Amino acid sequence: MMKEKPALLIIDLINPFDFSHGKQLASKADSMIQTINGLRLKFYLRDWPVIFINDHYNLWQYDLTKLISYCQNDISHPILNQITPNDQDYFLIKPKHSAFFDTALDTLLRTLQVNTLYLAGVAGNICVLFTANDAYMREYNLYVPSNCIASVSDQDNEYALKMMNQVLKANIEPIS
């Protein structure tokens, strides 16, 4: 049996939240940042990779500073102030919902010899779910802590968690 080698994927938290229901999703995201950062610290202490994967907002350069500047506003500021990637983190942009679609993520994970993914971020019923689906199809073990993802609708979030648990075999136990 292969030893577990995890990576933490933080999905779409560098975000302007400037869309319909954006304030509502930002509030939910803000309430889970401390938990995600606690998980992030556990990964740092074990020297496990933390990978931010984010929408590009038509800024196609891999320029984190430019992306954060673009996303900075009154709604996003409290979140960005707490969750910005640092020099230890990897950072990728994605063109669509799944973190795997048209990105170097799978190559990076294989290079790092990762076989287990922890998923955190927004929106749980879209980008997190699509990423979990693609990870499952690539035979990664999945952990999607229920207190580390959020969707605009609590009902949609619960349905996404149920699908990830029952269909994609993800462990959805909350992280303490």
Side-chain angles (χ1 to χ4, degrees):
M1 187 168 172
M2 184 184 289
K3 181 181 175 187
E4 184 175 85
K5 174 70 189 279
L8 171 60
L9 302 187
I10 299 176
I11 302 167
D12 288 342
L13 284 179
I14 301 170
N15 193 316
F17 297 100
D18 61 354
F19 47 86
S20 175
H21 306 293
K23 285 183 181 180
Q24 185 178 353
L25 186 58
S27 175
K28 291 177 181 186
D30 189 41
S31 70
M32 67 183 184
I33 294 296
Q34 187 174 2
T35 304
I36 293 172
N37 275 334
L39 181 57
R40 192 173 164 194
L41 179 60
K42 290 176 186 178
F43 271 71
Y44 291 156
L45 292 173
R46 290 173 177 86
D47 199 29
W48 292 339
V50 174
I51 304 166
F52 281 77
I53 185 118
N54 222 92
D55 286 340
H56 58 77
Y57 304 106
N58 288 318
L59 303 171
W60 284 96
Q61 301 87 4
Y62 285 90
D63 187 333
L64 180 59
T65 304
K66 192 182 287 187
L67 184 66
I68 291 170
S69 177
Y70 175 85
C71 291
Q72 194 71 249
N73 60 43
D74 290 341
I75 300 168
S76 65
H77 180 74
I79 296 160
L80 294 175
N81 197 38
Q82 299 176 72
I83 197 75
T84 302
N86 62 42
D87 291 342
Q88 289 178 261
D89 299 322
Y90 295 89
F91 174 74
L92 298 171
I93 59 172
K94 62 185 179 70
K96 291 285 185 181
H97 311 299
S98 172
F100 287 94
F101 180 76
D102 276 354
T103 73
L105 180 61
D106 196 46
T107 302
L108 174 61
L109 295 171
R110 302 289 178 200
T111 300
L112 297 171
Q113 299 179 324
V114 167
N115 59 13
T116 301
L117 297 177
Y118 283 71
L119 306 184
V122 296
N125 64 322
I126 304 170
C127 297
V128 176
L129 177 61
F130 285 35
T131 298
N133 184 69
D134 284 356
Y136 177 77
M137 290 179 14
R138 288 168 175 80
E139 299 183 350
Y140 289 98
N141 301 313
L142 285 171
Y143 289 85
V144 186
S146 60
N147 57 343
C148 290
I149 72 163
S151 304
V152 171
S153 159
D154 291 339
Q155 182 180 6
D156 289 349
N157 204 64
E158 288 302 316
Y159 180 75
L161 283 164
K162 181 178 180 180
M163 294 298 296
M164 287 184 271
N165 178 246
Q166 293 179 357
V167 177
L168 307 178
K169 311 301 183 222
N171 180 333
I172 61 169
E173 293 298 315
I175 296 290
S176 56

